Amino acid sequence: MKRVKSENFFCPLPLAGGETVQLAHGGGSRMAAELIEKLLVPGFDDPVLSRLEDQATLDLVLAPGERLAFTTDSFVVDPLFFPGGSIGELAINGTINDLAMGGARPLYLSVALIIEEGLPLADLERVLAAMATAARAAGVRVVTGDTKVVGRGACDKLFINTSGIGLVPVGVDLSAANLRPGDRIILSGTMADHGMAIMSCREGLSFVSPLASDTAALHGLVAAMLAVAPPAAGGLRAMRDPTRGGVAAVLSELARASRVGVVIAEERLPVAPPVRGGCEVLGIDPLFVANEGKLLAAVAAERADELLAAMRAHPLGREAAIIGEVTAANPGLVALRTILGTSRIIDLPAGEQLPRIC
């Protein structure tokens, strides 16, 4: 009789009580219900979410002139855990920041998980705990979501999508198309922290002062900025968080949208020494490397000093700096004035330098 190797056989029934995510966790089975009821619902602890409806029905009453802001983002960072955070904090903070850049006060989030079969349940629980902690710290509620499990190799461990709703106060109108010649450009802190923390993990680099992601929710800083330089009073024009593509990509976007030029000064660009060292080792310009807890703001010149002082008084803006100004010359272009007194155009790279950093 021909012998058949046992590994050619498999049990068609999922094994409950294991330590990894199985395909059955993504279906309409008892295991799927247990995953939701034992991990997801208790972690976020929200009465709307705990109803487990197909939608979140929210009691929103808008004052005259208030507007809703809505955003969505996906996170595929590799590795899932890195110095200073994880994909969990990143997903919550990143979506909050997208709302905040429009001046919105974030209120509600949704969370959708795409999980690869075989992901350790301990890793999933750790990510969810980080998300819940970040949401509570920011004062936002996770009110709805979705979970899908795909086979091994169909995704890389865990992908997360988060969507958010916020309220834009009366008189706040921020847009990349609002810049005017003479405006000042302010950066809230050091460049390239998140991207270089991710790269240090991937490349196995170690430094005397370890690199750490700057992931943070920026809506508190934004509220302080709006209080001293409200757009309706000729203060703030626009805000952006420099994620993929870094400061260079955001400035280029602002210049093109407003049809103005932007000139920045190299000596004013804040970069932490360990980050600068990592960039030099890898041959990467920090202008093009992502942050996840910083913002760029364009503000009228007469309000710039007042705004800078308010930002520096906030924990997330202590190292804020005026890095440049808006000009009428060379519309759509960003120029860097070097420490040698020369100038060069900041041209965006053709491709992505650091893939899967968020």
Side-chain angles (χ1 to χ4, degrees):
M1 178 182 294
K2 183 178 180 181
R3 300 183 64 182
V4 181
K5 293 183 179 180
S6 61
E7 60 261 32
N8 291 331
F9 293 92
F10 66 94
C11 177
L13 296 177
L15 299 176
E19 297 181 351
T20 63
V21 174
Q22 302 181 47
L23 283 174
H25 281 120
S29 64
R30 183 184 300 110
M31 290 178 65
E34 289 176 352
L35 183 71
I36 293 169
E37 293 169 6
K38 291 182 179 180
L39 281 184
L40 301 179
V41 172
F44 295 114
D45 190 26
D46 187 272
V48 175
L49 179 66
S50 65
R51 297 174 195 159
L52 297 179
E53 303 287 357
D54 284 343
Q55 76 294 315
T57 302
L58 308 171
D59 296 322
L60 279 176
V61 179
L62 301 185
E66 281 188 327
R67 292 168 294 150
L68 274 180
F70 177 68
T71 189
T72 189
D73 204 350
S74 297
F75 298 85
V76 297
V77 64
D78 179 36
L80 297 182
F81 306 98
F82 44 82
S86 71
I87 192 173
E89 293 101 329
L90 207 59
I92 297 295
N93 293 338
T95 301
I96 288 173
N97 291 346
D98 285 346
L99 292 170
M101 293 307 101
R105 177 169 60 92
L107 297 175
Y108 303 107
L109 298 179
S110 72
V111 171
L113 308 172
I114 300 176
I115 310 168
E116 183 184 19
E117 178 189 17
L119 178 74
L121 284 169
D123 285 354
L124 179 59
E125 189 169 8
R126 183 179 168 191
V127 168
L128 292 172
M131 297 181 80
T133 299
R136 282 193 293 269
V140 300
R141 294 168 56 187
V142 175
V143 294
T144 190
D146 182 53
T147 303
K148 295 291 188 295
V149 179
V150 297
R152 295 176 188 267
C155 82
D156 189 1
K157 298 182 284 293
L158 175 66
F159 296 160
I160 301 177
N161 173 272
T162 42
S163 296
I165 293 175
L167 283 180
V168 182
V170 177
V172 173
D173 184 14
L174 299 170
S175 170
N178 286 349
L179 276 65
R180 303 175 189 174
D183 289 349
R184 300 297 189 259
I185 303 295
I186 301 180
L187 177 61
S188 67
T190 53
M191 299 190 304
D193 300 293
H194 174 72
M196 292 312 299
I198 297 297
M199 288 303 293
S200 70
C201 289
R202 293 183 188 170
E203 301 298 326
L205 301 177
S206 60
F207 300 88
V208 175
S209 299
L211 302 181
S213 172
D214 59 339
T215 178
L218 295 170
H219 58 304
L221 174 61
V222 169
M225 295 167 66
L226 291 171
V228 300
L236 280 163
R237 312 284 197 200
M239 289 186 289
R240 286 286 189 275
D241 55 335
T243 54
R244 285 176 298 176
V247 168
V250 169
L251 292 177
S252 180
E253 176 189 350
L254 294 174
R256 291 197 308 269
S258 292
R259 300 180 182 178
V260 294
V262 174
V263 178
I264 56 176
E266 185 176 20
E267 71 273 10
R268 297 183 185 179
L269 298 175
V271 184
V275 171
R276 189 181 298 280
C279 287
E280 290 174 353
V281 167
L282 297 173
I284 296 173
D285 188 336
L287 272 169
F288 298 93
V289 182
N291 286 99
E292 287 290 346
K294 304 296 191 311
L295 63 83
L296 277 162
V299 62
E302 59 271 20
R303 309 298 292 272
D305 289 338
E306 184 181 9
L307 179 62
L308 182 64
M311 293 174 70
R312 287 178 172 173
H314 191 278
L316 294 179
R318 284 191 295 261
E319 297 177 274
I322 297 175
I323 64 170
E325 63 182 271
V326 178
T327 70
N330 304 314
L333 295 179
V334 179
L336 175 71
R337 189 171 62 245
T338 72
I339 56 176
L340 300 177
T342 61
S343 294
R344 66 180 176 92
I345 298 298
I346 301 299
D347 196 14
L348 295 180
E352 191 173 18
Q353 289 192 107
L354 306 176
R356 293 191 58 187
I357 55 169
C358 60

